[in-house]
Amino acid sequence: MYESPPHPRQHPAVPDCEQQPQFAAVPPPARWRYKPRRAWWRVRAVRAGAVITVLALCALVILAIVRHQTGTHGFLVGLGLAVLPVPLLAAAFRWLDRVEPEPWRNLVFAFAWGAFAAALVAIIANSFATRWIATATADPAGAESLGATVIAPVVEESAKAAALLLIFLFRRRDFTGIVDGVVVAGFTATGFAFTENILYLGNAFGEDQEAGASGLASVTAATFFVRVVMSPFAHPLFTVLTGIGFGLAALAPPHRRGRWRRIALPLLGLAFAMGMHALWNGSAVFGQYGFYAVYAGFMVPAFALLTWLVVWTRQRELSTIAAELPAYAAAGWLLPAEPLALSSMRARSLARDAAARTHGVRTHGGRAAARAVAEYEASATSLAFLRHRAHRGAVGPDFTAREQELLHHLWQRREVAGPALEYAARATGRLRTPPPWHPYGYGPPHPAPHRDYAAYNPYRQQ
C-alpha cells in the first residue's frame, strides 16, 4: 500500500541582521560551547607562564651568583640598601606616565627583566669577556679597564634594550610614543641598577668587614653615596636614550620610509646609550677629578635636558587630547566640557574624586564610580592618540575596529563619567560659564538653543 512521504521538517528561520544586533541569548564566556581553538603556544596563559618561568629561573641564578660573590651578610646588607631608591624611581617614572598610563604588567615585566635577565646576561658576558681579554693580552689591569669602558656598556645596554624590543613587538598597542619608551626604559634600568647595587654594596660591606672599617669612613658609605645618593638616575638615564629611539619608532608611519625609521631610530638610541654609559664608566681615565667633571659637566645637564624633553612631551600629549577630542564632542559622543577636563591632569583627578563623593566615599559604589571615571579617561586618551596617529598616517587597517571599541567603552561609562568631568571642567576654570543674558537688562534669561549634531552615532536611539 502506498504511503505518503513524511512531511519535511521545519527548518528554523535565519535571524535578520539588524543595524544593532542584540545577542541576549548568548551565555557568559564561562559557559560557551563553541570556543575558538588555537595552538597551545598561542594561549595567553601559556605565554605568561613561560615568561614568568624564565624570569624566575634568571632570578634564582643571578641572586645565587650575587650571594656567592658577596657572602650572605653582604648580600642582605646590599639588598637592604639597594632597595631604597627603587620606590622613588618607580614613582618618578609613573608620574611621567599619568596621561596614558602603561599597563602594570608591562612595567613589572620591564623591571623583572632588568633586575634578573639583563643582570644575568651582563654579569656572565662581562666576566667572560674580561677574562678572555686578560688571557689574550696578559694584562689584567688593561682588561679590567677595557671591560668597564667598552664591554660593559655594549653588553648591559643591549641586554636592557631587549625588554624594550619585546614590549615594542608583542605589546605594540601599549607602546604609542616617546613617553611610553621612556617609562619602560626607566623601569628596566631601575631593575638592573637594583641588582647591580646589591653586588657593589655587598662587596663594599665585605671589604669593610675585613678591614674593620665602619661609619661614614667605610667603603660601604662611600659606595652608597656615589651610587644611590649622587647617581640613582645613571642607569635610567642611559637606557632612556634607547627608549626615546623606540618611542620615535612607534610614531613612524607604516610606509616603507617609516619601516626604515622603525629599525634605525632604536639602533641610534641604543648607540647613544652605549656612548653615554662608556663615558660615565671611563670618567676615572680623565684624572683625579674626572668623575666629578663628567658628573657636573655632562651627566647633570643631560639629565636636566632629558627631564625637560619628557615633561614637554607629556604636555604635548595633553595638547593632542585637547585638539582631537572636540571632534567626538561635536559628533555627540562626549559632552562639550569633557575635552577641556580630559586635557588637564588636575581636572582628571578632581573628576575621579567627585564621582567617588557622589556615589559614597569609602563605599563600594564610590570606588566603582572612581574606577569607571579612570577607565573613561584612559579610553578617551587612547581614542585621542589613535585619531592623532590616523591624521599622521601611522595606523593600520584596524583603525575603525579600534575606534569603535574605544567608543563602546566610553558609552558604557558616560553616565558616571560625563557629569563628573563636566563638574571638574567648571571647578578648575577650564569651562567658563557666561553670565545669563537678559534682553535690554530685564526679564529672565532666554534658554540657549539646543544644538544637535547629525553625525552618525550607532548608540543613539532613533
Side-chain angles (χ1 to χ4, degrees):
M1 183 175 181
Y2 174 76
E3 296 181 359
S4 60
H7 294 284
R9 296 182 179 180
Q10 298 292 331
H11 294 280
V14 177
D16 296 330
C17 181
E18 303 175 355
Q19 184 177 3
Q20 296 185 26
Q22 302 294 327
F23 302 99
V26 176
R31 298 176 56 191
W32 282 0
R33 296 182 180 180
Y34 308 97
K35 297 182 179 181
R37 295 185 178 181
R38 295 180 294 178
W40 64 271
W41 63 85
R42 296 183 180 273
V43 178
R44 179 178 298 181
V46 174
R47 292 185 174 185
V51 171
I52 293 173
T53 302
V54 170
L55 292 177
L57 292 175
C58 292
L60 292 175
V61 175
I62 185 61
L63 293 179
I65 293 175
V66 173
R67 193 204 65 80
H68 176 73
Q69 294 188 10
T70 61
T72 302
H73 294 290
F75 176 80
L76 294 177
V77 171
L79 177 63
L81 295 176
V83 78
L84 294 178
V86 171
L88 299 177
L89 294 172
F93 286 110
R94 193 62 178 172
W95 176 82
L96 294 174
D97 200 32
R98 289 175 62 199
V99 177
E100 189 184 22
E102 190 77 11
W104 273 110
R105 63 177 181 272
N106 294 350
L107 302 181
V108 172
F109 166 78
F111 182 87
W113 181 275
F116 307 132
L120 179 61
V121 171
I123 196 171
I124 294 176
N126 289 341
S127 300
F128 173 80
T130 302
R131 290 175 183 175
W132 182 83
I133 294 173
T135 303
T137 62
D139 183 10
E144 289 289 340
S145 177
L146 186 63
T149 56
V150 178
I151 304 299
V154 174
V155 171
E156 294 176 6
E157 294 307 321
S158 299
K160 289 183 286 185
L164 287 154
L165 178 62
L166 291 173
I167 294 178
F168 184 82
L169 293 178
F170 297 103
R171 288 290 183 265
R172 185 65 180 82
R173 184 172 293 188
D174 301 329
F175 207 121
T176 58
I178 295 177
V179 174
D180 292 326
V182 168
V183 172
V184 173
F187 269 81
T188 305
T190 299
F192 185 89
F194 166 69
T195 303
E196 192 178 64
N197 285 339
I198 297 176
L199 179 62
Y200 279 91
L201 291 167
N203 285 334
F205 180 78
E207 294 179 15
D208 291 332
Q209 291 293 100
E210 294 179 359
S214 62
L216 296 178
S218 63
V219 180
T220 305
T223 305
F224 179 83
F225 179 75
V226 172
R227 297 190 63 86
V228 178
V229 178
M230 287 188 64
S231 57
F233 281 96
H235 270 288
L237 182 61
F238 308 147
T239 314
V240 156
L241 295 175
T242 308
I244 292 175
F246 275 99
L248 293 173
L251 299 174
H255 50 68
R256 178 174 297 180
R257 185 178 301 177
R259 187 180 309 168
W260 285 109
R261 291 180 188 174
R262 287 193 294 273
I263 298 174
L265 290 173
L267 293 177
L268 184 61
L270 178 60
F272 276 111
M274 293 176 181
M276 183 178 289
H277 196 160
L279 178 64
W280 174 254
N281 285 0
S283 58
V285 179
F286 300 110
Q288 181 180 1
Y289 300 101
F291 169 79
Y292 300 102
V294 172
Y295 181 82
F298 186 78
M299 295 293 290
V300 173
F303 174 74
L305 180 62
L306 287 177
T307 302
W308 171 84
L309 175 63
V310 174
V311 173
W312 176 79
T313 303
R314 198 181 83 157
Q315 291 302 119
R316 282 285 303 272
E317 290 184 342
L318 293 174
S319 300
T320 299
I321 294 172
E324 299 293 346
L325 289 184
Y328 293 99
W333 289 102
L334 307 176
L335 297 175
E338 290 183 34
L340 301 174
L342 291 167
S343 58
S344 167
M345 300 307 300
R346 179 174 171 234
R348 286 179 171 221
S349 178
L350 187 60
R352 294 191 296 270
D353 295 341
R357 290 195 305 269
T358 302
H359 295 81
V361 182
R362 297 181 181 179
T363 64
H364 177 72
R367 290 190 295 270
R371 184 167 57 252
V373 175
E375 294 170 352
Y376 187 93
E377 293 171 350
S379 297
T381 302
S382 299
L383 183 64
F385 291 164
L386 180 66
R387 177 156 290 274
H388 180 66
R389 291 194 299 273
H391 289 164
R392 300 177 66 252
V395 294
D398 61 342
F399 167 77
T400 303
R402 294 172 64 180
E403 182 185 43
Q404 288 297 316
E405 178 184 349
L406 291 170
L407 289 173
H408 177 69
H409 292 325
L410 293 179
W411 191 265
Q412 288 183 321
R413 297 162 178 81
R414 66 175 299 173
E415 292 186 3
V416 176
L421 288 168
E422 187 173 14
Y423 163 77
R426 297 181 184 277
T428 55
R430 299 183 65 83
L431 178 64
R432 299 185 181 277
T433 304
W437 177 73
H438 298 268
Y440 305 104
Y442 300 98
H446 288 258
H450 176 68
R451 187 177 183 184
D452 192 17
Y453 300 92
Y456 170 68
N457 186 340
Y459 292 94
R460 179 179 294 171
Q461 299 295 333
Q462 301 294 336

